């Protein structure tokens, strides 16, 4: 049997019952015996980054898993879960019922366009970095603190905690306030989780 590898997966949804979709998708991702859930981040609500204008807001979260699937097997599994939730790939960065990205797969580095690891844009996206840092405040990406990368990302001011009400995504937007971390313990359920805040690390 292959050795188990820790992987970080990012999930997002901006169509339909977004919160229910994320909750069900987590269950679908870890339904296979080769994938074990290690932890679930809080959910954050974000404006769409890139793609067509006027999209509904996204709900985003990150999970940590341990898997014996190879990286391309895991990618195929993620795509199958997307398809189960009626993901359609018509417009790049367009609205979607579910998006599942592999952010890291152990320490593997890959330049393959089909699966670039770590994810090539993760270090610039607070909607990935912020919940990841809530899940694991000590997480690092390409040698840098995920929490520090999050507060430097251009989309950081547009993040807000998800209040558990899955309406139309309308409403005022306020960036998370720097303060005490509120990371989730492993295995916590994703539905209705509210994001805390990331402490701004002082320069060494």
């Amino acid at each position: 049997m292959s050795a188990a590898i820790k992987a970080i997966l990012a999930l997002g949804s901006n169509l339909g019952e977004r919160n229910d979709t994320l909750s069900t998708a987590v269950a679908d991702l870890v339904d296979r015996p080769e994938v074990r859930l290690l932890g679930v981040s809080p959910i954050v609500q974000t404006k769409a980054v890139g793609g067509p204008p006027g999209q509904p807001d996204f709900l985003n979260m990150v999970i940590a898993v341990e898997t014996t699937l190879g990286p391309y097997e895991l990618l195929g599994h993620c795509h199958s879960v997307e398809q189960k939730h009626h993901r359609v790939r018509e417009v790049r960065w367009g609205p979607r019922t579910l998006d599942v990205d592999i952010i890291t797969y152990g320490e593997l580095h890959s330049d393959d366009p089909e699966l670039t690891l770590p994810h090539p844009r993760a270090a610039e996206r607070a909607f990935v970095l912020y919940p990841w840092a809530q899940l694991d405040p000590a997480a690092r990406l390409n040698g840098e603190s995920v929490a520090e990368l999050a507060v430097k990302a251009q989309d950081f001011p547009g993040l807000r905690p998800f209040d558990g009400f899955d309406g139309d995504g309308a409403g005022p937007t306020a960036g998370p306030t720097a303060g005490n971390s509120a990371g989730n313990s492993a295995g916590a359920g994703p539905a209705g989780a509210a994001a805390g805040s990331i402490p701004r690390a002082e320069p060494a």
Side-chain angles (χ1 to χ4, degrees), residues 4-8 65 67 102-109 117-118:
I5 299 293
K6 181 179 178 181
I8 299 296
V65 300
T67 181
I102 303 175
I103 305 303
T104 63
Y105 180 89
E107 300 299 323
L108 180 64
H109 287 257
L117 293 169

Side-chain angles (χ1 to χ4, degrees), residues 80-147:
S80 69
V81 172
E82 289 179 336
Q83 291 165 7
K84 181 177 180 180
H85 291 272
H86 310 294
R87 165 71 187 268
V88 178
R89 298 174 183 272
E90 292 181 345
V91 180
R92 189 184 190 198
W93 297 334
R96 45 209 181 268
T97 53
L98 179 65
D99 189 32
V100 182
D101 288 323
I102 303 175
I103 305 303
T104 63
Y105 180 89
E107 300 299 323
L108 180 64
H109 287 257
S110 169
D111 294 325
D112 185 344
E114 183 182 353
L115 180 59
T116 304
L117 293 169
H119 190 287
R121 291 173 294 278
E124 304 167 358
R125 292 178 167 177
F127 65 80
V128 171
L129 299 162
Y130 180 77
W132 185 4
Q134 293 292 288
L135 173 64
D136 180 4
R140 302 186 73 81
L141 177 62
N142 296 327
E144 297 187 65
S145 163
V146 168

Side-chain angles (χ1 to χ4, degrees), residues 53-66:
Q55 295 186 51
D57 288 357
F58 273 86
L59 294 186
N60 291 98
M61 65 183 297
V62 166
I63 67 173
V65 300
E66 188 176 67

Side-chain angles (χ1 to χ4, degrees), residues 15-100:
L15 291 178
E17 298 295 329
R18 304 168 298 167
N19 189 31
D20 289 345
T21 296
L22 293 181
S23 298
T24 306
V26 172
D28 291 338
L29 285 164
V30 301
D31 187 51
R32 291 185 59 163
E34 304 96 337
V35 183
R36 184 172 72 91
L37 185 65
L38 297 177
V40 179
S41 80
I43 296 173
V44 295
Q45 185 154 310
T46 70
K47 297 297 182 183
V49 176
Q55 295 186 51
D57 288 357
F58 273 86
L59 294 186
N60 291 98
M61 65 183 297
V62 166
I63 67 173
V65 300
E66 188 176 67
T67 181
T68 55
L69 296 175
Y72 292 95
E73 291 176 301
L74 181 60
L75 179 64
H77 177 48
C78 292
H79 286 171
S80 69
V81 172
E82 289 179 336
Q83 291 165 7
K84 181 177 180 180
H85 291 272
H86 310 294
R87 165 71 187 268
V88 178
R89 298 174 183 272
E90 292 181 345
V91 180
R92 189 184 190 198
W93 297 334
R96 45 209 181 268
T97 53
L98 179 65
D99 189 32
V100 182

Side-chain angles (χ1 to χ4, degrees), residues 119-193:
H119 190 287
R121 291 173 294 278
E124 304 167 358
R125 292 178 167 177
F127 65 80
V128 171
L129 299 162
Y130 180 77
W132 185 4
Q134 293 292 288
L135 173 64
D136 180 4
R140 302 186 73 81
L141 177 62
N142 296 327
E144 297 187 65
S145 163
V146 168
E148 292 179 12
L149 288 171
V151 297
K152 293 188 293 186
Q154 288 188 355
D155 60 321
F156 181 75
L159 301 189
R160 67 179 186 270
F162 176 57
D163 61 9
F165 175 70
D166 202 353
D168 60 4
T173 298
T177 302
N180 293 328
S181 175
N184 264 21
S185 61

